[in-house]
Amino acid sequence: MTEATRRRLGTPCWVSLMVHGLGTTQHFYRDLFGWDFVPGPQHLGPYVRALIDGKEVAGIGQMPPDRHLPVAWTTYLATDDADETAEQIRMCGGTVGVGPLDAGDAGRLAIASDPEGAVFGIWQAAAHAGTALFGTHGTPVWNELVTRETSSVSKFYQSVFGYEVEPVVSADFDYLTLHLEGRPVASLHGVGHALPRDRGSHWMTYFEVEDVDRTTAHVEELGGHVLHPPREGTSGRLATVADPEGAVFTIVRTRPS
């Protein structure tokens, strides 16, 4: 269990979810991950921050009733200057859909998409540095871009955020790890025609859990759905699930390194 420090450009620093039913979604994640909730900035409408042991781990907001956007977890990448990074995103072929705008005294943000359409956020921290706890049940542990192929979109992320890229050398596995200062921080996974037609390219949030099989069963008990049942992966045992509103995420019991 470690606490967060200020992140350098490109480091995943926060995950957030916009839903239609804020109360029922809080109930789901409270039961699944043991989250408590406190009010957060209300600049885009009702919004709460999820806590474990008093430490902030994620955010959930309520979508305006007239908005019918996909319900999905959004990965935020750190920046020291949201306006400058937003301009860089545009120059490199991405799109900025929201902001940059101030979130009260918490910081400054923008919501963008890469050239393949995968949505992500950028966060310039002020009072709120981002996720403050890692390595325990219910905390974000990894972020992965699921896309058709990695070669072109990796250039976008390298240009905007300065990642070093380490490929997995395999004829049938299109996978890149993104590094900052020699440390792995995220990954890109090219899945070709296996990319879901209803989602397209997207960032996937991984949450650490104590027991993948038990948590997967609990997802269904709480009204969620299992998309890929528990299986062994390179980093540990994992499953891909969705909450009752359809937000997809992966749960993993990370194998000790």
Side-chain angles (χ1 to χ4, degrees):
M1 238 187 292
T2 56
E3 295 187 25
T5 54
R6 192 169 184 85
R7 281 86 168 189
R8 64 152 288 177
L9 175 69
T11 306
C13 62
W14 186 243
V15 291
S16 193
L17 176 64
M18 297 296 288
V19 298
H20 299 289
L22 184 57
T24 54
T25 300
Q26 285 177 257
H27 176 76
F28 172 84
Y29 286 102
R30 181 184 287 113
D31 275 9
L32 190 69
F33 289 148
W35 289 352
D36 296 315
F37 295 95
V38 295
Q42 309 293 304
H43 57 287
L44 294 176
Y47 188 84
V48 294
R49 290 183 183 151
L51 310 179
I52 294 176
D53 296 332
K55 305 287 196 309
E56 296 168 342
V57 295
I60 305 175
Q62 182 154 314
M63 217 179 285
D66 58 339
R67 300 297 293 275
H68 300 285
L69 301 172
V71 176
W73 281 99
T74 299
T75 297
Y76 282 76
L77 306 174
T79 177
D80 287 330
D81 188 326
D83 296 80
E84 183 179 304
T85 301
E87 186 56 35
Q88 191 71 14
I89 288 168
R90 295 187 190 97
M91 288 172 58
C92 293
T95 303
V96 178
V98 177
L101 54 85
D102 289 326
D105 63 354
R108 191 162 172 79
L109 69 89
I111 305 295
S113 57
D114 67 27
E116 296 299 316
V119 174
F120 63 94
I122 55 173
W123 180 253
Q124 178 184 334
H128 174 62
T131 302
L133 189 66
F134 302 93
T136 190
H137 181 86
T139 59
V141 68
W142 191 249
N143 294 271
E144 179 176 279
L145 174 67
V146 182
T147 190
R148 195 169 301 282
E149 56 86 24
T150 64
S151 61
S152 59
V153 77
S154 64
K155 295 180 175 62
F156 167 81
Y157 287 99
Q158 284 179 278
S159 297
V160 176
F161 296 106
Y163 297 121
E164 305 110 37
V165 171
E166 181 180 299
V168 171
V169 181
S170 171
D172 57 355
F173 193 51
D174 182 12
Y175 190 91
L176 303 174
T177 306
L178 303 179
H179 292 250
L180 291 171
E181 298 173 336
R183 184 173 63 90
V185 296
S187 53
L188 310 183
H189 188 186
V191 298
H193 296 299
L195 191 68
R197 290 181 180 274
D198 58 340
R199 296 194 70 199
S201 295
H202 59 277
W203 278 90
M204 174 75 77
T205 301
Y206 286 63
F207 291 97
E208 184 76 28
V209 297
E210 291 174 356
D211 185 315
V212 170
D213 296 75
R214 191 167 64 227
T215 304
T216 300
H218 200 29
V219 166
E220 291 190 297
E221 292 165 0
L222 294 170
H225 310 281
V226 178
L227 305 182
H228 297 291
R231 60 204 185 275
E232 293 300 326
T234 54
S235 59
R237 190 160 178 80
L238 71 164
T240 304
V241 298
D243 69 21
E245 286 205 21
V248 177
F249 56 99
T250 294
I251 54 175
V252 62
R253 173 63 172 173
T254 305
R255 189 178 297 118
S257 54

